[in-house]
Amino acid sequence: MGRGKTMRDHLLDTLKNLLEAELKEFKSKLTDIKLVKGYHSHIPRGDLEKAEPVELTELLISHYGGHNAVRVTTMVLEAINQRDLTERLRRATVAGQE
């Protein structure tokens, strides 16, 4: 993932850039978005409710796996109009795959 950063680091950095209200909107939208192919359930709302960026990162990765966690995160960020963060996350994670 470039310069020693892992996918987890990039996800966490992205989520830390959300203001409190934006993080709340992210978690709300996370349970509404179309599921990534191969997944049959969303992360339970109860698990998301009090999750701060570190816990949310762990929930995303443990539920969806690394690459799908990034896909889901970018989908949700786009849905809540966080295009700058979406692009930054995409660039960081794509650069690390080369």
Side-chain angles (χ1 to χ4, degrees), residues 1-14 17 67 70 74 84-98:
M1 299 290 112
R3 296 191 206 120
K5 282 198 166 192
T6 65
M7 196 169 296
R8 176 178 273 111
D9 293 332
H10 290 300
L11 277 172
L12 180 57
D13 289 348
T14 300
N17 272 290
H67 291 287
V70 170
T74 57
D84 288 347
L85 285 178
T86 303
E87 279 311 305
R88 198 180 317 165
L89 179 59
R90 275 203 183 112
R91 277 196 306 272
T93 54
V94 168
Q97 293 172 8
E98 295 174 342

Side-chain angles (χ1 to χ4, degrees), residues 27-28 31-32 42-50:
K27 291 188 285 189
S28 174
T31 61
D32 292 338
H42 291 288
I43 299 170
R45 281 186 192 268
D47 291 348
L48 292 173
E49 199 170 304
K50 291 190 171 55

Side-chain angles (χ1 to χ4, degrees), residues 21-59:
E22 294 166 342
L23 186 62
K24 192 173 190 172
E25 186 180 7
F26 179 94
K27 291 188 285 189
S28 174
K29 185 61 78 175
L30 184 58
T31 61
D32 292 338
I33 62 160
K34 188 173 180 245
L35 285 167
V36 175
K37 189 174 182 178
Y39 292 87
H40 306 292
S41 66
H42 291 288
I43 299 170
R45 281 186 192 268
D47 291 348
L48 292 173
E49 199 170 304
K50 291 190 171 55
E52 295 298 320
V54 172
E55 294 86 8
L56 185 53
T57 300
E58 295 304 320
L59 283 169

